[in-house]
């Protein structure tokens, strides 16, 4: 007879995830799978406003990796999320953001101190790369009604 186990027990028994790879100096290898299969797993972004750290440095450029099933399950058992379900996105983003400027330890406290516009941008960015696998969006110009694609990962608002 099979015994039913809870999600908590399952996650405790699962092996710990491998640490996120650090960015390599050679740009062509960044975001590639372990054997260079061409699987793009890390995406760079530029925040609309930027994260202001304790020293007053503004960080706008960063990178986010694709989420794993574990990344999506872990916030469900986090006590902060159980107390406040809106906290789920803070925990989830802190797991998948690999760097933010010179900040490499992106934890929930960092995401909490971001501006709301940047958190909304990151939530949309997360959804786009994890469901569609890219950072491009099709848009239509409101003036000339021309259609074109923009890359949401980089460039300042209003720039092409």
């Amino acid at each position: 007879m099979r015994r039913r186990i809870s999600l908590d027990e399952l996650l405790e028994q699962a092996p710990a995830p491998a640490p996120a790879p650090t960015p390599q100096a050679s740009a062509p290898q960044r975001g590639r799978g372990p054997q260079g299969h061409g699987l793009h797993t890390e995406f760079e972004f530029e925040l609309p406003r930027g994260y202001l750290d304790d020293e007053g440095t503004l960080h706008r450029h960063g990178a986010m990796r694709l989420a794993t099933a574990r990344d999506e399950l872990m916030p469900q058992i986090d006590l902060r999320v159980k107390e406040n379900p809106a906290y789920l996105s803070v925990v989830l983003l802190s797991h998948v953001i690999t760097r933010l400027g010179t900040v490499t330890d992106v934890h929930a406290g960092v995401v909490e101190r971001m501006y709301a516009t940047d958190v909304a941008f990151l939530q949309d960015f997360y959804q786009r790369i994890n469901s569609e696998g890219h950072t491009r969006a099709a848009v239509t110009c409101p003036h000339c009604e021309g259609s074109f694609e923009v890359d949401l990962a980089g460039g300042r608002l209003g720039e092409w």
Side-chain angles (χ1 to χ4, degrees):
M1 183 172 194
R2 298 180 107 182
R3 179 175 85 84
R4 294 184 86 173
I5 62 172
S6 69
L7 178 61
D8 294 342
E9 290 177 283
L10 182 64
L11 289 173
E12 285 174 10
Q13 294 171 4
T22 56
Q24 301 293 322
S26 60
Q29 294 298 319
R30 182 177 299 158
R32 298 290 179 194
Q35 271 117 40
H37 292 293
L39 176 63
H40 198 98
T41 60
E42 188 174 86
F43 297 83
E44 296 196 2
F45 60 81
E46 183 174 341
L47 295 174
R49 298 209 182 271
Y51 166 70
L52 196 60
D53 67 16
D54 293 335
E55 288 79 39
T57 305
L58 188 67
H59 304 277
R60 294 191 60 216
H61 297 280
M64 181 184 294
R65 65 175 173 76
L66 290 176
T68 64
R70 185 179 183 92
D71 292 324
E72 297 223 346
L73 291 171
M74 288 303 288
Q76 301 296 328
I77 60 172
D78 190 299
L79 293 177
R80 299 168 295 185
V81 174
K82 286 183 176 182
E83 291 175 10
N84 181 2
Y87 202 73
L88 183 135
S89 64
V90 171
V91 174
L92 186 55
L93 289 173
S94 70
H95 283 217
V96 296
I97 297 172
T98 57
R99 65 181 160 75
L100 186 56
T102 58
V103 179
T104 55
D105 181 23
V106 181
H107 50 80
V110 170
V111 178
E112 284 176 355
R113 294 193 337 246
M114 288 182 177
Y115 294 108
T117 53
D118 288 335
V119 173
F121 170 84
L122 290 168
Q123 289 170 329
D124 182 62
F125 191 73
Y126 173 92
Q127 186 67 33
R128 185 167 300 280
I129 67 172
N130 283 288
S131 63
E132 299 175 22
H134 60 80
T135 59
R136 294 176 309 280
V139 295
T140 303
C141 176
H143 301 291
C144 69
E145 296 185 13
S147 296
F148 56 95
E149 281 190 353
V150 294
D151 188 354
L152 300 177
R156 297 186 51 109
L157 293 176
E159 289 183 356
W160 295 21

